[in-house]
Amino acid sequence: MRPKSGPVPDCSFLYSMSLQQNIDKDRLPRHIAIIMDGNGRWAQEKGEDRLFGHLHGVESVRNIVEGAAEINIEYLTLYAFSTENWDRPEYEVTGLMELLVDTIRKEVPTLNKNNIRLHVIGDIGMLPAYAQQELAEALAETAQNTGLNLIMALSYSSRWELVNAVKAIAADVKASKLDPETITQDTLQQYLSTSAFPDPELMIRTSGEFRISNFLLYQLAYAELYFTNTRWPDFRKENLYEAILDFQKRERRFGKTGEQIKKIT
Ligand code: IPE
Ligand code: IPE
Ligand code: MG
């Protein structure tokens, strides 16, 4: 007998819905940061060029942005290109830049449809002129949106950011705009490229690497870290929801004792 034909049920959709329902909406991380890693290995494992992995990584970006917006995450930072990534072979850097710009250009209507505001952090002056132009337009075109804040870390590194902050503070002290005696943690925060955003509460890194790679070193001070072996091109909203559920099981103590925390909550 021939098996019944018809549409194959989308199990990942059902799984993602059931995970979504289990998430406690009152205890969502406001800000999730992701190191999107493993594109190159994903492609090479399939006998393909590394750029093929980056191309498929874009599909994950779309899916994760959608997944984050669906559950009303306020801030999502994606590490797309580090300062150190400029040292990769030229063809990969060029290919990645083109892909980034092309994707951002094509995604602006979807971002607007979904009320998503785009932000960029990083040394944007390092990007080719056409990329800077496209980015500036995308930022302006989504500036009115009030839903998810999507922060792309491009040509970003935390040490670059901290050096910049120190330079800017020194310049303001020199110009008598800032009294060194009044500098607090809040002052330093205001000089970072993330000054408009709360610190990430959950940081996810894909592809089985257990390091921070110069990402938000100051801002991640109390973030919960979540590492998964899944390569970025395979990462989907159900993986994001699994990470959030894991986050919700943790006790965040901020230096206090477990007993103190239980009394507060
Ligand atoms: C992450 O994937 C994307 C970027 C760093 C631009 P990789 O390109 O680092 O992939 P792997 O780590 O070599 O597999
Ligand atoms: C970190 O990944 C940067 C991005 C994901 C954009 P890398 O692949 O560049 O990090 P390392 O070199 O393995 O630490
Ligand atoms: Mg990598």
Side-chain angles (χ1 to χ4, degrees):
M1 212 171 79
R2 224 159 41 90
K4 275 186 200 158
S5 60
V8 181
D10 183 351
C11 295
S12 75
F13 172 74
L14 293 176
Y15 181 52
S16 126
M17 287 310 291
S18 82
L19 288 174
Q20 203 187 99
Q21 279 158 9
N22 286 330
I23 292 174
D24 179 349
K25 301 291 182 309
D26 297 326
R27 287 175 51 243
L28 282 173
R30 288 186 72 196
H31 186 172
I32 300 176
I34 307 183
I35 303 181
M36 310 185 286
D37 198 15
N39 296 352
R41 278 164 290 160
W42 182 88
Q44 285 163 334
E45 281 152 12
K46 293 181 157 41
E48 299 281 352
D49 186 82
R50 295 177 56 84
L51 283 177
F52 182 72
H54 297 314
L55 193 67
H56 279 265
V58 172
E59 204 37 59
S60 303
V61 172
R62 278 199 201 96
N63 190 276
I64 294 311
V65 170
E66 190 184 279
E70 267 172 35
I71 58 168
N72 296 324
I73 297 293
E74 291 175 71
Y75 301 88
L76 175 67
T77 298
L78 299 178
Y79 201 8
F81 194 88
S82 74
T83 310
E84 290 76 19
N85 288 148
W86 287 111
D87 294 331
R88 290 194 177 189
E90 201 186 319
Y91 95 94
E92 184 171 343
V93 171
T94 313
L96 257 170
M97 278 301 133
E98 282 169 8
L99 185 63
L100 284 168
V101 172
D102 196 47
T103 305
I104 288 170
R105 186 194 301 122
K106 284 193 190 137
E107 290 302 311
V108 166
T110 314
L111 295 178
N112 281 334
K113 198 177 98 208
N114 296 320
N115 198 20
I116 298 169
R117 180 172 180 185
L118 182 70
H119 306 262
V120 177
I121 55 170
D123 191 0
I124 299 308
M126 294 269 291
L127 297 176
Y130 77 94
Q132 292 187 39
Q133 179 69 30
E134 287 289 346
L135 269 179
E137 283 170 23
L139 293 178
E141 283 170 32
T142 64
Q144 305 306 321
N145 296 337
T146 55
L148 174 70
N149 288 283
L150 172 61
I151 305 144
M152 297 299 291
L154 277 182
S155 188
Y156 173 87
S157 85
S158 201
R159 288 185 176 179
W160 163 84
E161 176 183 47
L162 290 168
V163 167
N164 258 5
V166 171
K167 277 190 193 163
I169 290 173
D172 281 354
V173 167
K174 199 171 161 195
S176 304
K177 286 190 209 154
L178 182 66
D179 174 1
E181 294 301 321
T182 65
I183 294 177
T184 61
Q185 291 187 13
D186 285 341
T187 321
L188 178 52
Q189 204 268 341
Q190 283 157 26
Y191 282 83
L192 299 175
S193 54
T194 53
S195 58
F197 320 124
D199 287 343
E201 288 153 275
L202 171 62
M203 196 288 285
I204 301 171
R205 184 172 188 149
T206 60
S207 91
E209 304 297 347
F210 300 91
R211 54 180 173 267
I212 305 287
S213 300
N214 219 346
F215 185 47
L216 303 174
L217 300 178
Y218 185 82
Q219 297 88 334
L220 291 176
Y222 263 106
E224 294 297 324
L225 307 182
Y226 181 89
F227 297 96
T228 168
N229 287 332
T230 306
R231 308 268 197 243
W232 178 251
D234 287 329
F235 197 81
R236 288 291 178 274
K237 44 179 109 154
E238 49 271 27
N239 304 101
L240 175 72
Y241 297 156
E242 281 167 350
I244 294 173
L245 285 167
D246 190 272
F247 167 87
Q248 293 189 332
K249 282 194 223 124
R250 301 190 191 183
E251 182 178 67
R252 305 187 72 208
R253 290 192 284 272
F254 301 98
K256 297 195 171 70
T257 65
E259 287 68 32
Q260 285 175 296
I261 297 300
K262 281 183 196 84
K263 262 185 216 150
I264 298 167
T265 52

